[in-house]
PDB file of all heavy atoms in Angstrom:
ATOM      1  N   SER A 281     129.542 113.261  79.591  1.00  0.00           N
ATOM      2  CA  SER A 281     129.338 112.783  80.927  1.00  0.00           C
ATOM      3  C   SER A 281     130.587 112.707  81.700  1.00  0.00           C
ATOM      4  O   SER A 281     130.557 112.447  82.912  1.00  0.00           O
ATOM      5  CB  SER A 281     128.598 111.386  80.939  1.00  0.00           C
ATOM      6  OG  SER A 281     129.476 110.401  80.421  1.00  0.00           O
ATOM      7  N   VAL A 282     131.733 112.908  81.091  1.00  0.00           N
ATOM      8  CA  VAL A 282     132.996 112.857  81.803  1.00  0.00           C
ATOM      9  C   VAL A 282     133.171 114.119  82.622  1.00  0.00           C
ATOM     10  O   VAL A 282     133.012 115.264  82.039  1.00  0.00           O
ATOM     11  CB  VAL A 282     134.200 112.667  80.854  1.00  0.00           C
ATOM     12  CG1 VAL A 282     135.567 112.659  81.612  1.00  0.00           C
ATOM     13  CG2 VAL A 282     134.071 111.434  80.054  1.00  0.00           C
ATOM     14  N   PRO A 283     133.364 114.090  83.914  1.00  0.00           N
ATOM     15  CA  PRO A 283     133.411 115.294  84.692  1.00  0.00           C
ATOM     16  C   PRO A 283     134.708 116.062  84.628  1.00  0.00           C
ATOM     17  O   PRO A 283     135.419 116.307  85.615  1.00  0.00           O
ATOM     18  CB  PRO A 283     133.211 114.783  86.198  1.00  0.00           C
ATOM     19  CG  PRO A 283     133.874 113.402  86.133  1.00  0.00           C
ATOM     20  CD  PRO A 283     133.601 112.878  84.748  1.00  0.00           C
ATOM     21  N   PHE A 284     135.012 116.552  83.431  1.00  0.00           N
ATOM     22  CA  PHE A 284     136.200 117.389  83.304  1.00  0.00           C
ATOM     23  C   PHE A 284     136.045 118.708  84.067  1.00  0.00           C
ATOM     24  O   PHE A 284     134.914 119.364  83.964  1.00  0.00           O
ATOM     25  CB  PHE A 284     136.415 117.739  81.830  1.00  0.00           C
ATOM     26  CG  PHE A 284     136.811 116.615  80.927  1.00  0.00           C
ATOM     27  CD1 PHE A 284     135.892 116.170  79.963  1.00  0.00           C
ATOM     28  CD2 PHE A 284     137.977 115.921  81.095  1.00  0.00           C
ATOM     29  CE1 PHE A 284     136.166 115.115  79.137  1.00  0.00           C
ATOM     30  CE2 PHE A 284     138.322 114.855  80.297  1.00  0.00           C
ATOM     31  CZ  PHE A 284     137.345 114.481  79.276  1.00  0.00           C
ATOM     32  N   ASP A 285     137.073 119.141  84.757  1.00  0.00           N
ATOM     33  CA  ASP A 285     137.144 120.456  85.375  1.00  0.00           C
ATOM     34  C   ASP A 285     138.107 121.238  84.563  1.00  0.00           C
ATOM     35  O   ASP A 285     139.289 121.087  84.801  1.00  0.00           O
ATOM     36  CB  ASP A 285     137.544 120.376  86.768  1.00  0.00           C
ATOM     37  CG  ASP A 285     137.512 121.788  87.464  1.00  0.00           C
ATOM     38  OD1 ASP A 285     137.420 122.780  86.769  1.00  0.00           O
ATOM     39  OD2 ASP A 285     137.732 121.840  88.700  1.00  0.00           O
ATOM     40  N   PHE A 286     137.734 121.996  83.552  1.00  0.00           N
ATOM     41  CA  PHE A 286     138.619 122.552  82.665  1.00  0.00           C
ATOM     42  C   PHE A 286     139.470 123.651  83.307  1.00  0.00           C
ATOM     43  O   PHE A 286     140.416 124.245  82.660  1.00  0.00           O
ATOM     44  CB  PHE A 286     137.881 123.109  81.434  1.00  0.00           C
ATOM     45  CG  PHE A 286     137.365 122.043  80.526  1.00  0.00           C
ATOM     46  CD1 PHE A 286     136.054 121.537  80.579  1.00  0.00           C
ATOM     47  CD2 PHE A 286     138.272 121.354  79.678  1.00  0.00           C
ATOM     48  CE1 PHE A 286     135.532 120.527  79.841  1.00  0.00           C
ATOM     49  CE2 PHE A 286     137.835 120.376  78.854  1.00  0.00           C
ATOM     50  CZ  PHE A 286     136.528 119.861  78.904  1.00  0.00           C
ATOM     51  N   ASP A 287     139.090 124.154  84.512  1.00  0.00           N
ATOM     52  CA  ASP A 287     139.907 125.065  85.118  1.00  0.00           C
ATOM     53  C   ASP A 287     141.201 124.432  85.765  1.00  0.00           C
ATOM     54  O   ASP A 287     142.174 125.130  86.157  1.00  0.00           O
ATOM     55  CB  ASP A 287     139.202 125.843  86.298  1.00  0.00           C
ATOM     56  CG  ASP A 287     138.082 126.791  85.730  1.00  0.00           C
ATOM     57  OD1 ASP A 287     138.378 127.343  84.695  1.00  0.00           O
ATOM     58  OD2 ASP A 287     137.050 126.876  86.326  1.00  0.00           O
ATOM     59  N   LYS A 288     141.159 123.202  85.950  1.00  0.00           N
ATOM     60  CA  LYS A 288     142.256 122.390  86.506  1.00  0.00           C
ATOM     61  C   LYS A 288     142.753 121.303  85.528  1.00  0.00           C
ATOM     62  O   LYS A 288     142.073 120.224  85.495  1.00  0.00           O
ATOM     63  CB  LYS A 288     141.880 121.777  87.869  1.00  0.00           C
ATOM     64  CG  LYS A 288     141.518 122.764  88.934  1.00  0.00           C
ATOM     65  CD  LYS A 288     141.080 122.228  90.234  1.00  0.00           C
ATOM     66  CE  LYS A 288     140.779 123.213  91.300  1.00  0.00           C
ATOM     67  NZ  LYS A 288     140.468 122.582  92.605  1.00  0.00           N
ATOM     68  N   PRO A 289     143.736 121.549  84.803  1.00  0.00           N
ATOM     69  CA  PRO A 289     144.123 120.579  83.769  1.00  0.00           C
ATOM     70  C   PRO A 289     144.614 119.304  84.283  1.00  0.00           C
ATOM     71  O   PRO A 289     145.065 119.148  85.420  1.00  0.00           O
ATOM     72  CB  PRO A 289     145.265 121.316  82.992  1.00  0.00           C
ATOM     73  CG  PRO A 289     145.831 122.208  84.023  1.00  0.00           C
ATOM     74  CD  PRO A 289     144.675 122.707  84.860  1.00  0.00           C
ATOM     75  N   GLY A 290     144.356 118.263  83.468  1.00  0.00           N
ATOM     76  CA  GLY A 290     144.783 116.883  83.797  1.00  0.00           C
ATOM     77  C   GLY A 290     145.168 116.154  82.512  1.00  0.00           C
ATOM     78  O   GLY A 290     144.980 116.617  81.435  1.00  0.00           O
ATOM     79  N   ALA A 291     145.645 114.943  82.726  1.00  0.00           N
ATOM     80  CA  ALA A 291     145.985 114.083  81.528  1.00  0.00           C
ATOM     81  C   ALA A 291     145.884 112.604  81.909  1.00  0.00           C
ATOM     82  O   ALA A 291     145.562 112.305  83.066  1.00  0.00           O
ATOM     83  CB  ALA A 291     147.445 114.481  81.158  1.00  0.00           C
ATOM     84  N   SER A 292     146.283 111.792  80.982  1.00  0.00           N
ATOM     85  CA  SER A 292     146.053 110.358  81.175  1.00  0.00           C
ATOM     86  C   SER A 292     147.099 109.747  82.268  1.00  0.00           C
ATOM     87  O   SER A 292     148.263 110.077  82.146  1.00  0.00           O
ATOM     88  CB  SER A 292     146.276 109.682  79.851  1.00  0.00           C
ATOM     89  OG  SER A 292     146.316 108.202  80.026  1.00  0.00           O
ATOM     90  N   LEU A 293     146.539 109.016  83.123  1.00  0.00           N
ATOM     91  CA  LEU A 293     147.313 108.312  84.122  1.00  0.00           C
ATOM     92  C   LEU A 293     147.678 106.882  83.683  1.00  0.00           C
ATOM     93  O   LEU A 293     148.234 106.146  84.470  1.00  0.00           O
ATOM     94  CB  LEU A 293     146.659 108.311  85.488  1.00  0.00           C
ATOM     95  CG  LEU A 293     146.561 109.743  86.140  1.00  0.00           C
ATOM     96  CD1 LEU A 293     145.699 109.680  87.331  1.00  0.00           C
ATOM     97  CD2 LEU A 293     147.955 110.187  86.534  1.00  0.00           C
ATOM     98  N   LYS A 294     147.276 106.529  82.530  1.00  0.00           N
ATOM     99  CA  LYS A 294     147.638 105.248  81.946  1.00  0.00           C
ATOM    100  C   LYS A 294     149.055 105.310  81.469  1.00  0.00           C
ATOM    101  O   LYS A 294     149.405 105.461  80.280  1.00  0.00           O
ATOM    102  CB  LYS A 294     146.695 104.807  80.793  1.00  0.00           C
ATOM    103  CG  LYS A 294     146.898 103.446  80.358  1.00  0.00           C
ATOM    104  CD  LYS A 294     145.897 103.000  79.332  1.00  0.00           C
ATOM    105  CE  LYS A 294     146.111 101.625  78.825  1.00  0.00           C
ATOM    106  NZ  LYS A 294     145.172 101.255  77.823  1.00  0.00           N
ATOM    107  N   VAL A 295     149.976 105.182  82.408  1.00  0.00           N
ATOM    108  CA  VAL A 295     151.414 105.437  82.069  1.00  0.00           C
ATOM    109  C   VAL A 295     152.262 104.496  82.853  1.00  0.00           C
ATOM    110  O   VAL A 295     151.938 103.987  83.888  1.00  0.00           O
ATOM    111  CB  VAL A 295     151.769 106.946  82.484  1.00  0.00           C
ATOM    112  CG1 VAL A 295     151.635 107.105  84.017  1.00  0.00           C
ATOM    113  CG2 VAL A 295     153.129 107.464  81.975  1.00  0.00           C
ATOM    114  N   GLU A 296     153.491 104.293  82.258  1.00  0.00           N
ATOM    115  CA  GLU A 296     154.497 103.410  82.862  1.00  0.00           C
ATOM    116  C   GLU A 296     155.705 104.256  83.194  1.00  0.00           C
ATOM    117  O   GLU A 296     155.790 105.428  82.753  1.00  0.00           O
ATOM    118  CB  GLU A 296     154.867 102.248  81.983  1.00  0.00           C
ATOM    119  CG  GLU A 296     153.683 101.336  81.670  1.00  0.00           C
ATOM    120  CD  GLU A 296     154.025 100.186  80.665  1.00  0.00           C
ATOM    121  OE1 GLU A 296     155.185 100.240  80.182  1.00  0.00           O
ATOM    122  OE2 GLU A 296     153.196  99.328  80.450  1.00  0.00           O
ATOM    123  N   GLY A 297     156.642 103.787  83.950  1.00  0.00           N
ATOM    124  CA  GLY A 297     157.815 104.453  84.317  1.00  0.00           C
ATOM    125  C   GLY A 297     158.839 104.525  83.255  1.00  0.00           C
ATOM    126  O   GLY A 297     160.049 104.146  83.402  1.00  0.00           O
ATOM    127  N   THR A 298     158.456 105.147  82.148  1.00  0.00           N
ATOM    128  CA  THR A 298     159.303 105.123  80.980  1.00  0.00           C
ATOM    129  C   THR A 298     160.430 106.194  81.071  1.00  0.00           C
ATOM    130  O   THR A 298     161.472 106.178  80.405  1.00  0.00           O
ATOM    131  CB  THR A 298     158.492 105.447  79.714  1.00  0.00           C
ATOM    132  OG1 THR A 298     157.720 106.605  79.902  1.00  0.00           O
ATOM    133  CG2 THR A 298     157.703 104.207  79.314  1.00  0.00           C
ATOM    134  N   TRP A 299     160.185 107.254  81.891  1.00  0.00           N
ATOM    135  CA  TRP A 299     161.168 108.367  82.035  1.00  0.00           C
ATOM    136  C   TRP A 299     161.028 108.959  83.374  1.00  0.00           C
ATOM    137  O   TRP A 299     159.936 109.073  83.889  1.00  0.00           O
ATOM    138  CB  TRP A 299     160.910 109.403  80.922  1.00  0.00           C
ATOM    139  CG  TRP A 299     162.058 110.402  80.776  1.00  0.00           C
ATOM    140  CD1 TRP A 299     163.046 110.309  79.846  1.00  0.00           C
ATOM    141  CD2 TRP A 299     162.325 111.618  81.548  1.00  0.00           C
ATOM    142  NE1 TRP A 299     163.928 111.397  80.013  1.00  0.00           N
ATOM    143  CE2 TRP A 299     163.471 112.193  81.087  1.00  0.00           C
ATOM    144  CE3 TRP A 299     161.630 112.251  82.641  1.00  0.00           C
ATOM    145  CZ2 TRP A 299     164.032 113.330  81.606  1.00  0.00           C
ATOM    146  CZ3 TRP A 299     162.200 113.369  83.148  1.00  0.00           C
ATOM    147  CH2 TRP A 299     163.411 113.951  82.654  1.00  0.00           C
ATOM    148  N   PRO A 300     162.247 109.326  83.949  1.00  0.00           N
ATOM    149  CA  PRO A 300     163.571 109.148  83.587  1.00  0.00           C
ATOM    150  C   PRO A 300     164.050 107.746  83.961  1.00  0.00           C
ATOM    151  O   PRO A 300     163.375 106.993  84.601  1.00  0.00           O
ATOM    152  CB  PRO A 300     164.355 110.235  84.331  1.00  0.00           C
ATOM    153  CG  PRO A 300     163.490 110.342  85.604  1.00  0.00           C
ATOM    154  CD  PRO A 300     162.074 110.140  85.269  1.00  0.00           C
ATOM    155  N   ILE A 301     165.229 107.447  83.443  1.00  0.00           N
ATOM    156  CA  ILE A 301     165.917 106.276  83.819  1.00  0.00           C
ATOM    157  C   ILE A 301     167.221 106.730  84.612  1.00  0.00           C
ATOM    158  O   ILE A 301     168.294 107.044  83.995  1.00  0.00           O
ATOM    159  CB  ILE A 301     166.390 105.381  82.672  1.00  0.00           C
ATOM    160  CG1 ILE A 301     165.125 105.022  81.843  1.00  0.00           C
ATOM    161  CG2 ILE A 301     167.024 104.087  83.110  1.00  0.00           C
ATOM    162  CD1 ILE A 301     164.162 104.200  82.558  1.00  0.00           C
ATOM    163  N   PRO A 302     167.091 106.849  85.920  1.00  0.00           N
ATOM    164  CA  PRO A 302     168.266 107.403  86.685  1.00  0.00           C
ATOM    165  C   PRO A 302     169.538 106.601  86.457  1.00  0.00           C
ATOM    166  O   PRO A 302     169.546 105.396  86.569  1.00  0.00           O
ATOM    167  CB  PRO A 302     167.810 107.418  88.085  1.00  0.00           C
ATOM    168  CG  PRO A 302     166.255 107.339  88.027  1.00  0.00           C
ATOM    169  CD  PRO A 302     165.992 106.499  86.790  1.00  0.00           C
ATOM    170  N   PRO A 303     170.641 107.286  86.280  1.00  0.00           N
ATOM    171  CA  PRO A 303     171.952 106.608  86.156  1.00  0.00           C
ATOM    172  C   PRO A 303     172.423 105.997  87.498  1.00  0.00           C
ATOM    173  O   PRO A 303     171.933 106.452  88.587  1.00  0.00           O
ATOM    174  CB  PRO A 303     172.931 107.657  85.683  1.00  0.00           C
ATOM    175  CG  PRO A 303     172.269 108.937  86.170  1.00  0.00           C
ATOM    176  CD  PRO A 303     170.766 108.765  86.206  1.00  0.00           C
ATOM    177  N   LEU A 304     173.267 105.073  87.433  1.00  0.00           N
ATOM    178  CA  LEU A 304     173.740 104.346  88.625  1.00  0.00           C
ATOM    179  C   LEU A 304     174.245 105.232  89.731  1.00  0.00           C
ATOM    180  O   LEU A 304     173.959 105.055  90.912  1.00  0.00           O
ATOM    181  CB  LEU A 304     174.815 103.308  88.275  1.00  0.00           C
ATOM    182  CG  LEU A 304     175.379 102.480  89.377  1.00  0.00           C
ATOM    183  CD1 LEU A 304     174.232 101.608  89.955  1.00  0.00           C
ATOM    184  CD2 LEU A 304     176.491 101.541  88.838  1.00  0.00           C
ATOM    185  N   TYR A 305     174.984 106.245  89.402  1.00  0.00           N
ATOM    186  CA  TYR A 305     175.652 107.134  90.339  1.00  0.00           C
ATOM    187  C   TYR A 305     174.838 108.493  90.487  1.00  0.00           C
ATOM    188  O   TYR A 305     175.436 109.470  91.090  1.00  0.00           O
ATOM    189  CB  TYR A 305     177.104 107.431  90.033  1.00  0.00           C
ATOM    190  CG  TYR A 305     177.864 106.057  89.944  1.00  0.00           C
ATOM    191  CD1 TYR A 305     178.285 105.500  88.742  1.00  0.00           C
ATOM    192  CD2 TYR A 305     178.191 105.417  91.135  1.00  0.00           C
ATOM    193  CE1 TYR A 305     179.027 104.304  88.806  1.00  0.00           C
ATOM    194  CE2 TYR A 305     178.891 104.209  91.149  1.00  0.00           C
ATOM    195  CZ  TYR A 305     179.299 103.681  89.984  1.00  0.00           C
ATOM    196  OH  TYR A 305     180.056 102.450  89.950  1.00  0.00           O
ATOM    197  N   GLY A 306     173.587 108.502  90.104  1.00  0.00           N
ATOM    198  CA  GLY A 306     172.755 109.682  90.293  1.00  0.00           C
ATOM    199  C   GLY A 306     173.049 110.719  89.158  1.00  0.00           C
ATOM    200  O   GLY A 306     173.874 110.660  88.343  1.00  0.00           O
ATOM    201  N   PRO A 307     172.162 111.733  89.211  1.00  0.00           N
ATOM    202  CA  PRO A 307     171.003 111.982  90.137  1.00  0.00           C
ATOM    203  C   PRO A 307     169.835 110.985  90.026  1.00  0.00           C
ATOM    204  O   PRO A 307     169.706 110.412  88.978  1.00  0.00           O
ATOM    205  CB  PRO A 307     170.614 113.390  89.892  1.00  0.00           C
ATOM    206  CG  PRO A 307     170.839 113.533  88.360  1.00  0.00           C
ATOM    207  CD  PRO A 307     172.174 112.840  88.122  1.00  0.00           C
ATOM    208  N   GLY A 308     169.098 110.862  91.131  1.00  0.00           N
ATOM    209  CA  GLY A 308     167.928 109.991  91.104  1.00  0.00           C
ATOM    210  C   GLY A 308     166.699 110.651  90.525  1.00  0.00           C
ATOM    211  O   GLY A 308     166.759 111.759  90.038  1.00  0.00           O
ATOM    212  N   TYR A 309     165.523 110.073  90.708  1.00  0.00           N
ATOM    213  CA  TYR A 309     164.284 110.622  90.289  1.00  0.00           C
ATOM    214  C   TYR A 309     164.152 112.068  90.859  1.00  0.00           C
ATOM    215  O   TYR A 309     163.702 112.982  90.134  1.00  0.00           O
ATOM    216  CB  TYR A 309     163.138 109.781  90.718  1.00  0.00           C
ATOM    217  CG  TYR A 309     162.912 108.534  89.951  1.00  0.00           C
ATOM    218  CD1 TYR A 309     163.484 107.309  90.309  1.00  0.00           C
ATOM    219  CD2 TYR A 309     162.201 108.570  88.669  1.00  0.00           C
ATOM    220  CE1 TYR A 309     163.299 106.157  89.646  1.00  0.00           C
ATOM    221  CE2 TYR A 309     162.124 107.392  87.909  1.00  0.00           C
ATOM    222  CZ  TYR A 309     162.562 106.195  88.373  1.00  0.00           C
ATOM    223  OH  TYR A 309     162.396 105.026  87.698  1.00  0.00           O
ATOM    224  N   SER A 310     164.360 112.203  92.170  1.00  0.00           N
ATOM    225  CA  SER A 310     164.086 113.457  92.834  1.00  0.00           C
ATOM    226  C   SER A 310     164.934 114.500  92.251  1.00  0.00           C
ATOM    227  O   SER A 310     164.603 115.715  91.923  1.00  0.00           O
ATOM    228  CB  SER A 310     164.266 113.339  94.311  1.00  0.00           C
ATOM    229  OG  SER A 310     163.209 112.658  94.928  1.00  0.00           O
ATOM    230  N   GLY A 311     166.311 114.143  92.029  1.00  0.00           N
ATOM    231  CA  GLY A 311     167.218 115.204  91.508  1.00  0.00           C
ATOM    232  C   GLY A 311     166.840 115.691  90.155  1.00  0.00           C
ATOM    233  O   GLY A 311     166.999 116.790  89.763  1.00  0.00           O
ATOM    234  N   ILE A 312     166.512 114.768  89.328  1.00  0.00           N
ATOM    235  CA  ILE A 312     166.071 115.020  87.939  1.00  0.00           C
ATOM    236  C   ILE A 312     164.840 115.824  87.850  1.00  0.00           C
ATOM    237  O   ILE A 312     164.891 116.925  87.150  1.00  0.00           O
ATOM    238  CB  ILE A 312     165.972 113.675  87.146  1.00  0.00           C
ATOM    239  CG1 ILE A 312     167.366 113.070  86.912  1.00  0.00           C
ATOM    240  CG2 ILE A 312     165.387 113.949  85.741  1.00  0.00           C
ATOM    241  CD1 ILE A 312     167.251 111.534  86.426  1.00  0.00           C
ATOM    242  N   TRP A 313     163.815 115.396  88.518  1.00  0.00           N
ATOM    243  CA  TRP A 313     162.478 116.179  88.412  1.00  0.00           C
ATOM    244  C   TRP A 313     162.658 117.532  89.081  1.00  0.00           C
ATOM    245  O   TRP A 313     162.079 118.522  88.585  1.00  0.00           O
ATOM    246  CB  TRP A 313     161.346 115.257  89.036  1.00  0.00           C
ATOM    247  CG  TRP A 313     160.789 114.284  88.143  1.00  0.00           C
ATOM    248  CD1 TRP A 313     160.870 112.932  88.283  1.00  0.00           C
ATOM    249  CD2 TRP A 313     160.082 114.565  86.901  1.00  0.00           C
ATOM    250  NE1 TRP A 313     160.239 112.325  87.151  1.00  0.00           N
ATOM    251  CE2 TRP A 313     159.747 113.273  86.359  1.00  0.00           C
ATOM    252  CE3 TRP A 313     159.741 115.680  86.188  1.00  0.00           C
ATOM    253  CZ2 TRP A 313     159.090 113.105  85.208  1.00  0.00           C
ATOM    254  CZ3 TRP A 313     159.035 115.538  85.012  1.00  0.00           C
ATOM    255  CH2 TRP A 313     158.699 114.276  84.493  1.00  0.00           C
ATOM    256  N   LYS A 314     163.334 117.565  90.203  1.00  0.00           N
ATOM    257  CA  LYS A 314     163.437 118.883  90.897  1.00  0.00           C
ATOM    258  C   LYS A 314     164.126 119.887  90.035  1.00  0.00           C
ATOM    259  O   LYS A 314     163.829 121.106  90.040  1.00  0.00           O
ATOM    260  CB  LYS A 314     164.131 118.687  92.273  1.00  0.00           C
ATOM    261  CG  LYS A 314     164.094 119.946  93.129  1.00  0.00           C
ATOM    262  CD  LYS A 314     164.692 119.741  94.468  1.00  0.00           C
ATOM    263  CE  LYS A 314     164.545 121.018  95.351  1.00  0.00           C
ATOM    264  NZ  LYS A 314     165.097 122.182  94.842  1.00  0.00           N
ATOM    265  N   ALA A 315     165.101 119.412  89.273  1.00  0.00           N
ATOM    266  CA  ALA A 315     165.875 120.321  88.421  1.00  0.00           C
ATOM    267  C   ALA A 315     164.894 121.001  87.428  1.00  0.00           C
ATOM    268  O   ALA A 315     165.003 122.161  87.066  1.00  0.00           O
ATOM    269  CB  ALA A 315     166.966 119.602  87.697  1.00  0.00           C
ATOM    270  N   LEU A 316     163.912 120.287  86.963  1.00  0.00           N
ATOM    271  CA  LEU A 316     162.977 120.757  85.984  1.00  0.00           C
ATOM    272  C   LEU A 316     161.961 121.757  86.672  1.00  0.00           C
ATOM    273  O   LEU A 316     161.668 122.737  86.128  1.00  0.00           O
ATOM    274  CB  LEU A 316     162.202 119.681  85.309  1.00  0.00           C
ATOM    275  CG  LEU A 316     163.085 118.822  84.363  1.00  0.00           C
ATOM    276  CD1 LEU A 316     162.298 117.583  83.930  1.00  0.00           C
ATOM    277  CD2 LEU A 316     163.399 119.629  83.140  1.00  0.00           C
ATOM    278  N   TYR A 317     161.449 121.416  87.812  1.00  0.00           N
ATOM    279  CA  TYR A 317     160.564 122.247  88.573  1.00  0.00           C
ATOM    280  C   TYR A 317     161.350 123.644  88.872  1.00  0.00           C
ATOM    281  O   TYR A 317     160.692 124.617  88.767  1.00  0.00           O
ATOM    282  CB  TYR A 317     160.065 121.575  89.847  1.00  0.00           C
ATOM    283  CG  TYR A 317     158.917 120.625  89.547  1.00  0.00           C
ATOM    284  CD1 TYR A 317     159.184 119.344  89.039  1.00  0.00           C
ATOM    285  CD2 TYR A 317     157.601 121.009  89.744  1.00  0.00           C
ATOM    286  CE1 TYR A 317     158.253 118.412  88.777  1.00  0.00           C
ATOM    287  CE2 TYR A 317     156.589 120.053  89.503  1.00  0.00           C
ATOM    288  CZ  TYR A 317     156.915 118.796  88.981  1.00  0.00           C
ATOM    289  OH  TYR A 317     155.843 117.901  88.702  1.00  0.00           O
ATOM    290  N   ASP A 318     162.553 123.427  89.367  1.00  0.00           N
ATOM    291  CA  ASP A 318     163.279 124.688  89.657  1.00  0.00           C
ATOM    292  C   ASP A 318     163.525 125.527  88.326  1.00  0.00           C
ATOM    293  O   ASP A 318     163.511 126.745  88.484  1.00  0.00           O
ATOM    294  CB  ASP A 318     164.717 124.293  90.172  1.00  0.00           C
ATOM    295  CG  ASP A 318     164.552 123.723  91.642  1.00  0.00           C
ATOM    296  OD1 ASP A 318     163.608 123.833  92.219  1.00  0.00           O
ATOM    297  OD2 ASP A 318     165.606 123.164  92.110  1.00  0.00           O
ATOM    298  N   ARG A 319     163.722 124.899  87.262  1.00  0.00           N
ATOM    299  CA  ARG A 319     163.992 125.649  85.980  1.00  0.00           C
ATOM    300  C   ARG A 319     162.835 126.605  85.750  1.00  0.00           C
ATOM    301  O   ARG A 319     163.046 127.702  85.311  1.00  0.00           O
ATOM    302  CB  ARG A 319     164.130 124.677  84.882  1.00  0.00           C
ATOM    303  CG  ARG A 319     163.960 125.244  83.425  1.00  0.00           C
ATOM    304  CD  ARG A 319     165.020 126.154  83.005  1.00  0.00           C
ATOM    305  NE  ARG A 319     166.314 125.534  82.981  1.00  0.00           N
ATOM    306  CZ  ARG A 319     166.783 124.905  81.917  1.00  0.00           C
ATOM    307  NH1 ARG A 319     166.105 124.787  80.829  1.00  0.00           N
ATOM    308  NH2 ARG A 319     168.040 124.418  81.949  1.00  0.00           N
ATOM    309  N   PHE A 320     161.601 126.212  86.060  1.00  0.00           N
ATOM    310  CA  PHE A 320     160.442 126.897  85.685  1.00  0.00           C
ATOM    311  C   PHE A 320     159.783 127.569  86.925  1.00  0.00           C
ATOM    312  O   PHE A 320     158.636 128.092  86.767  1.00  0.00           O
ATOM    313  CB  PHE A 320     159.409 126.127  84.903  1.00  0.00           C
ATOM    314  CG  PHE A 320     160.049 125.463  83.683  1.00  0.00           C
ATOM    315  CD1 PHE A 320     160.257 124.070  83.572  1.00  0.00           C
ATOM    316  CD2 PHE A 320     160.390 126.239  82.652  1.00  0.00           C
ATOM    317  CE1 PHE A 320     160.821 123.581  82.448  1.00  0.00           C
ATOM    318  CE2 PHE A 320     161.002 125.771  81.439  1.00  0.00           C
ATOM    319  CZ  PHE A 320     161.200 124.337  81.413  1.00  0.00           C
ATOM    320  N   GLY A 321     160.475 127.660  88.030  1.00  0.00           N
ATOM    321  CA  GLY A 321     159.979 128.373  89.188  1.00  0.00           C
ATOM    322  C   GLY A 321     158.738 127.650  89.802  1.00  0.00           C
ATOM    323  O   GLY A 321     157.855 128.368  90.346  1.00  0.00           O
TER     324      GLY A 321
END
């Protein structure tokens, strides 16, 4: 009865802000995550 749309993947949103832990002098969340998105186009 769970309305999975298997053409559009998803995962659990029961999550806490465990990663990343941005260092005091950067990069911040945006810099860290954007580097990963850029890595894989």
Side-chain angles (χ1 to χ4, degrees):
S281 69
V282 180
F284 294 113
D285 180 352
F286 288 99
D287 289 326
K288 296 180 179 179
S292 173
L293 291 169
K294 187 177 181 182
V295 66
E296 298 176 355
T298 48
W299 194 94
I301 305 297
L304 181 61
Y305 298 108
Y309 285 98
S310 289
I312 292 168
W313 278 115
K314 188 176 185 304
L316 290 168
Y317 282 79
D318 289 348
R319 160 69 60 88
F320 303 112

